[in-house]
Amino acid sequence: MTPQTTRRAVVMLGMAALAMRGAHAQATAFDHSHAAWSALLKKHVAVIDGGRASQVRYAAMAIDRVALKAYLDSLSAVSRSAFNGYTKAQQMAFLINAYNAHTVELILTRYPQLDSIKDLGSLLQSPWKRKYIALLGSTMSLDGIEHDTLRARGRYDDPRIHFAVNCASIGCPPLREEAFTAERLDAQLDEQAQRFMSDRSRNRWSPSKQRLEVSKIFDWYGEDFTLGHRGIASAAAFYARYADRLADAPADRDRIRAQTAPVSYIDYDWALNDAPR
């Protein structure tokens, strides 16, 4: 090896070390407690119906929009390389919070002149496909965060994300009144699932029709419940886990557990999840 080659190698190693230190510094600088987002949620999300649902005080959230945008800016400052250095739980919490916070900000761009998030779309493009979110070094859409990242096969494969991301609609699982964090992510996702499956307006056994009536989420994303998370290989197996929350009569619960019950899907309510003003 010539002296020139040696010097080049030393320089390259030095640059690599600096890059690694920079990525590490960025990773440690980011607030993984998502305290700023939690503060906004605790202040402006009203838990209702015994914890099974929530409403957002968008009018009050609009007053704190500067704080919301500051939190969104902190997410945008995270590079792809820094994100790749996060733990899987940190990544999931980051993405779920980013989706929910950007959805709230999207609503505020036209609030109160809208009745549904769908009002923010057009004949040519849904609000979920608009690429306007500066995240991980690129411009993403809400669909990009959810479908291309959170739902990417082989990455997380956790169907409980469907009870965590919130589309600003009554038919959605409730927007959680605190940020998701890596340390508590598993328990938070479990609680979100329990809340949603306990909400008889969204998921229930119909004694008169002798069938399960469940959210359209299970129709749209049914295959996400076949990936073997915690041994669950089908939506029916997932329902079985929540039989006590879906039905009251022991015989009906047994039928759900046996995974033999017919299933229909409840129409999704796209009305804005706004708190009464």
Side-chain angles (χ1 to χ4, degrees):
M1 181 179 292
T2 66
Q4 185 178 10
T5 303
T6 301
R7 285 196 296 274
R8 187 180 298 116
V10 170
V11 169
M12 291 178 68
L13 285 170
M15 291 175 64
L18 285 172
M20 289 178 65
R21 283 199 294 271
H24 177 72
Q26 189 179 46
T28 54
F30 181 75
D31 179 15
H32 286 287
S33 75
H34 298 270
W37 179 227
S38 253
L40 289 169
L41 292 170
K42 289 175 182 177
K43 187 176 180 181
H44 301 306
V45 172
V47 177
I48 61 173
D49 195 20
R52 291 183 288 271
S54 70
Q55 296 173 328
V56 182
R57 301 184 184 100
Y58 287 106
M61 183 75 82
I63 298 172
D64 278 338
R65 199 169 176 190
V66 171
L68 173 59
K69 287 187 175 182
Y71 171 69
L72 296 177
D73 287 344
S74 75
L75 298 176
S76 296
V78 175
S79 68
R80 172 65 71 172
S81 61
F83 176 82
N84 290 341
Y86 294 169
T87 66
K88 185 175 289 188
Q90 287 174 334
Q91 290 179 358
M92 289 181 68
F94 179 96
L95 292 168
I96 293 169
N97 290 330
Y99 185 99
N100 290 341
H102 274 289
T103 298
V104 170
E105 168 59 20
L106 180 62
I107 295 300
L108 294 181
T109 62
R110 197 185 296 179
Y111 186 85
Q113 282 79 40
L114 78 169
D115 297 314
S116 167
I117 189 173
K118 286 193 166 186
D119 295 342
L120 296 167
S122 67
L123 292 175
L124 300 177
Q125 190 177 60
S126 81
W128 297 281
K129 295 189 181 300
R130 287 173 48 195
K131 290 190 175 183
Y132 67 96
I133 300 169
L135 201 67
L136 304 180
S138 63
T139 303
M140 301 178 69
S141 63
L142 289 170
D143 271 0
I145 297 175
E146 182 180 9
H147 304 313
D148 300 338
T149 311
L150 274 168
R151 294 183 61 227
R153 290 294 176 261
R155 182 172 294 178
Y156 309 116
D157 291 339
D158 191 331
R160 295 176 299 171
I161 63 167
H162 294 297
F163 314 122
V165 294
N166 181 271
C167 63
S169 303
I170 290 175
C172 294
L175 178 63
R176 192 171 179 84
E177 68 279 14
E178 64 177 356
F180 289 89
T181 61
E183 292 77 11
R184 299 177 52 230
L185 183 63
D186 206 47
Q188 288 175 315
L189 292 176
D190 272 346
E191 186 176 25
Q192 288 295 109
Q194 290 167 9
R195 286 177 167 183
F196 189 60
M197 299 306 289
S198 300
D199 185 348
R200 296 286 176 87
S201 72
R202 294 168 175 84
N203 302 283
R204 60 186 175 248
W205 174 262
S206 172
S208 62
K209 299 176 182 177
Q210 285 294 292
R211 69 185 184 194
L212 264 177
E213 298 176 337
V214 298
S215 168
K216 287 286 286 185
I217 285 173
F218 295 104
D219 184 22
W220 296 328
Y221 307 118
E223 69 175 51
D224 289 3
F225 294 85
T226 69
L227 302 176
H229 182 264
R230 291 185 176 177
I232 298 294
S234 68
F238 186 84
Y239 307 147
R241 182 163 290 186
Y242 294 93
D244 290 351
R245 298 180 180 272
L246 291 165
D248 296 321
D252 297 334
R253 292 175 174 179
D254 288 343
R255 192 172 180 188
I256 295 170
R257 291 191 189 97
Q259 302 179 37
T260 58
V263 175
S264 66
Y265 301 103
I266 299 170
D267 289 339
Y268 213 70
D269 187 346
W270 289 106
L272 189 66
N273 60 343
D274 193 9
R277 285 174 280 163

